[in-house]
């Protein structure tokens, strides 16, 4: 994910580099392999020991922005000459990927990093990975920071009877207002939680669009892991006003979780269909068939089935 700045934690990472060597030096890092390396989304201390080791070991580092990555490497005390750096971004990924594949065929270790976070999700890298795999070349992931998992971890989502289906990742919604409005209308019918990303210059437009979802909860993560990190959960209809309360809230990168839509319990004929099926079938099978027959939400029927089984009215 994108990152407007990096928050330094220490002036020297010499001990971290030594720890990386001690922890990872005996592990196997094959030649001719592409290493997809996650880097911090803001706080330099969030780098992994394995990432530090591979970034030192790599014969070539392909990256979204060579200047940004050079600054990142130097912050850790890693110095790579320009000849060991290759720009690979959304505008040249197809061509640059072929250059990387040639280096891999020569037996070089190549690391790929985006500007921040885990590559190939909302950042470049997916085409490179696909081309490498199609060519039969090994691709090895080095897990680490991601704004997606970071914001989910503080959203307080629970997988329960009402919301058993997890979340979906939607990334950046369309920039054009009409297309964005249509996308939000589609999200209104999504029963699962939805993770969104947004840049500061478009956050007000996104907030206005999401306000149509009324009381549906949104967790807003701004400048995650950085000095001025801010996390808030509020009703979608209150999002524009929340932004307007403080001009600083328009700054930085955003990761958001649109919480699952509240479940409305079925009633009337739908309830009777479910009760009849529950009398003859296992609960999950009864819920599945009731949803197919009535068109009612499976989540709502499952919640109702649990209440009926517990003897609640």
């Amino acid at each position: 994910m994108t990152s407007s700045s990096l928050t330094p934690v220490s002036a020297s990472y010499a001990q971290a580099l030594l720890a990386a060597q001690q922890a990872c030096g005996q592990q196997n890092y094959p030649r001719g392999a592409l290493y997809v390396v996650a880097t911090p989304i803001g706080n330099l201390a969030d780098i992994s020991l394995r990432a530090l080791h591979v970034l030192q070991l790599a014969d070539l580092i392909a990256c979204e922005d060579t200047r940004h990555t050079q600054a990142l490497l130097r912050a850790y005390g890693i110095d790579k000459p320009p000849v060991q750096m290759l720009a690979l971004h959304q505008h040249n990924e197809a061509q640059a990927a072929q250059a990387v594949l040639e280096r891999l065929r020569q037996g070089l270790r190549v690391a790929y990093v985006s500007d921040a976070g885990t590559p190939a999700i909302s950042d470049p890298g997916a085409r490179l990975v696909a081309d490498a795999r199609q060519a039969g070349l090994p691709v090895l992931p080095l897990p680490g920071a991601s704004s997606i998992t970071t914001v989910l971890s503080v959203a307080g989502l629970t997988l329960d009877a009402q919301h058993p289906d997890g979340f979906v990742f939607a990334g950046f919604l369309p920039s054009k207002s009409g297309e964005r409005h249509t996308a939000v209308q589609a999200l209104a019918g999504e029963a699962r939680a939805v993770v969104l990303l947004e840049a500061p210059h478009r956050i007000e437009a996104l907030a206005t669009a999401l306000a149509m979802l009324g009381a549906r909860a949104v967790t807003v993560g701004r400048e995650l892991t950085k000095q001025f990190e801010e996390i808030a959960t509020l009703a979608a209809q209150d999002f524009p006003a929340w932004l307007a309360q403080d001009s600083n809230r328009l700054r930085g990168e955003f990761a958001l979780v649109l919480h699952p839509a509240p479940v409305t319990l079925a009633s009337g004929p739908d309830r009777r269909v479910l009760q009849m099926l529950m009398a003859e079938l296992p609960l999950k099978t009864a819920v599945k068939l009731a949803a197919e027959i009535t068109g009612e939400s499976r989540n709502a029927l499952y919640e109702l089935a649990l209440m009926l089984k517990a003897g609640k009215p």
Side-chain angles (χ1 to χ4, degrees):
M1 307 307 118
T2 56
S3 176
S4 57
S5 63
L6 291 164
T7 303
V9 176
S10 171
S12 173
Y13 278 82
Q15 291 183 330
L17 293 178
L18 178 60
Q21 174 63 31
Q22 293 174 338
C24 309
Q26 301 305 312
Q27 297 175 5
N28 183 34
Y29 296 91
R31 293 187 173 275
L34 173 65
Y35 296 86
V36 182
V37 183
T39 55
I41 60 175
N43 192 313
L44 284 174
D46 289 338
I47 193 76
S48 74
L49 293 179
R50 214 157 51 109
L52 287 175
H53 184 69
V54 166
L55 291 173
Q56 292 180 90
L57 190 65
D59 302 299
L60 177 73
I61 297 179
C63 50
E64 192 173 355
D65 185 324
T66 56
R67 291 172 298 178
H68 179 92
T69 300
Q70 280 281 23
L72 178 69
L73 294 176
R74 287 171 182 157
Y76 295 125
I78 301 172
D79 190 22
K80 294 283 185 181
V83 71
Q84 289 186 279
M85 307 288 291
L86 174 69
L88 188 150
H89 45 73
Q90 62 177 337
H91 303 296
N92 78 338
E93 187 167 359
Q95 297 83 0
Q98 296 309 307
V100 170
L101 264 57
E102 182 59 31
R103 307 292 182 87
L104 293 173
R105 293 188 181 102
Q106 294 171 7
L108 301 185
R109 297 183 183 96
V110 180
Y112 181 73
V113 300
S114 57
D115 282 349
T118 302
I121 298 176
S122 187
D123 289 341
R127 175 68 179 271
L128 170 62
V129 170
D131 287 353
R133 291 204 174 280
Q134 187 173 9
L137 297 165
V139 181
L140 306 177
L142 272 69
S146 167
S147 62
I148 299 168
T149 52
T150 299
V151 72
L152 279 169
S153 72
V154 293
L157 300 179
T158 56
L159 295 181
D160 53 26
Q162 291 191 36
H163 309 111
D165 296 326
F167 70 94
V168 292
F169 173 60
F172 292 90
L173 295 188
S175 58
K176 294 183 179 180
S177 59
E179 295 176 0
R180 183 171 53 245
H181 180 77
T182 300
V184 172
Q185 285 183 315
L187 293 181
E190 174 57 68
R192 295 167 293 182
V194 182
V195 180
L196 302 168
L197 304 175
E198 194 52 273
H201 67 281
R202 291 184 2 187
I203 192 61
E204 288 180 294
L206 177 63
T208 300
L210 290 177
M212 67 176 283
L213 300 179
R216 189 165 174 178
V218 178
T219 293
V220 181
R222 187 182 71 84
E223 291 287 81
L224 290 171
T225 79
K226 302 175 189 175
Q227 182 178 0
F228 299 107
E229 174 182 76
E230 189 170 12
I231 300 166
T233 298
L234 57 152
Q237 63 195 11
D238 298 330
F239 192 7
W242 182 84
L243 285 175
Q245 287 174 359
D246 186 345
S247 60
N248 288 321
R249 288 177 177 167
L250 300 179
R251 300 177 181 178
E253 304 295 331
F254 290 81
L256 310 95
V257 177
L258 178 63
H259 289 234
V263 174
T264 302
L265 296 182
S267 60
D270 296 346
R271 176 187 286 258
R272 289 196 293 273
V273 168
L274 178 60
Q275 287 175 313
M276 292 173 64
L277 291 170
M278 285 178 63
E280 304 294 334
L281 299 168
L283 187 144
K284 288 186 177 180
T285 304
V287 168
K288 180 177 181 294
L289 289 176
E292 293 175 357
I293 294 169
T294 66
E296 180 62 75
S297 162
R298 187 181 297 187
N299 289 349
L301 289 168
Y302 189 78
E303 176 68 9
L304 177 57
L306 291 178
M307 292 178 62
L308 292 172
K309 188 175 181 180
K312 297 179 181 179

